[in-house]
Amino acid sequence: MSVTIAFGILAVILNAIGYVPYIRGILTGAVRPQRVTWGIWTILTTVASVNQIINGGGWSTLFFGSTTILVMIVFALSLTRRGIGGASAFDRAVLASSLILTVFWVSARDTHLSTYIAVAIDGVGALPTIVKAFRRPHTELYLQWVLAAVAGACSFAAVTRPATVLYVYPA
């Protein structure tokens, strides 16, 4: 087995290990996902997966594919009573900012530029969850975030064709 295959598979395993207790926490009410953040991330991870495939990301696409599925599940659960946020002025401002960036993203017509814009949208989209985690730390499961970061690092090593565009989003 090549190193890139091994790191691609390891990224998926670590990602799943982090998300399983996170999703279980949502179902038990211990974790309260922020709707705006997870909605934005659902769109972004889908596009990042496609960009990875188009740009020849190799085995790193396993990480992005698994993340897309898991993020979609969390977003769907956030739309139930288990989710939090979406109505405050701050949430609406983040959503509006993300939508403005999305217009640039869609009009870019270039997977490299769209990846850089997606990183900017990702950062803006994370703000509601960061604020929520600061104000209500008991509503997050930090193991998921740590394992997602480690899995993202593993996806670096799973890239089969070195290209900046393939490293930007997981960074």
Side-chain angles (χ1 to χ4, degrees), residues 128-147:
T129 291
I130 292 168
V131 169
K132 178 195 70 101
F134 180 76
R135 290 182 179 160
R136 300 177 184 180
H138 61 280
T139 64
E140 281 297 328
L141 182 65
Y142 296 97
L143 174 65
Q144 187 273 328
W145 300 106
V146 171
L147 289 176

Side-chain angles (χ1 to χ4, degrees), residues 135-170:
R135 290 182 179 160
R136 300 177 184 180
H138 61 280
T139 64
E140 281 297 328
L141 182 65
Y142 296 97
L143 174 65
Q144 187 273 328
W145 300 106
V146 171
L147 289 176
V150 173
C154 288
S155 77
F156 270 63
V159 172
T160 55
R161 184 183 66 82
T164 304
V165 71
L166 299 174
Y167 295 113
V168 169
Y169 197 79

Side-chain angles (χ1 to χ4, degrees), residues 68-136:
T68 298
I69 293 165
L70 293 165
V71 167
M72 285 179 178
I73 292 168
V74 172
F75 176 57
L77 291 171
S78 80
L79 296 175
T80 68
R81 62 180 172 75
R82 294 176 170 94
I84 190 170
S88 73
F90 177 68
D91 289 347
R92 290 191 307 270
V94 165
L95 191 54
S97 300
S98 295
L99 291 174
I100 290 167
L101 284 168
T102 301
V103 170
F104 291 110
W105 180 41
V106 169
S107 64
R109 304 255 190 251
D110 174 293
T111 58
H112 290 78
L113 180 59
S114 70
T115 298
Y116 297 117
I117 295 170
V119 170
I121 297 168
D122 189 280
V124 170
L127 293 174
T129 291
I130 292 168
V131 169
K132 178 195 70 101
F134 180 76
R135 290 182 179 160
R136 300 177 184 180

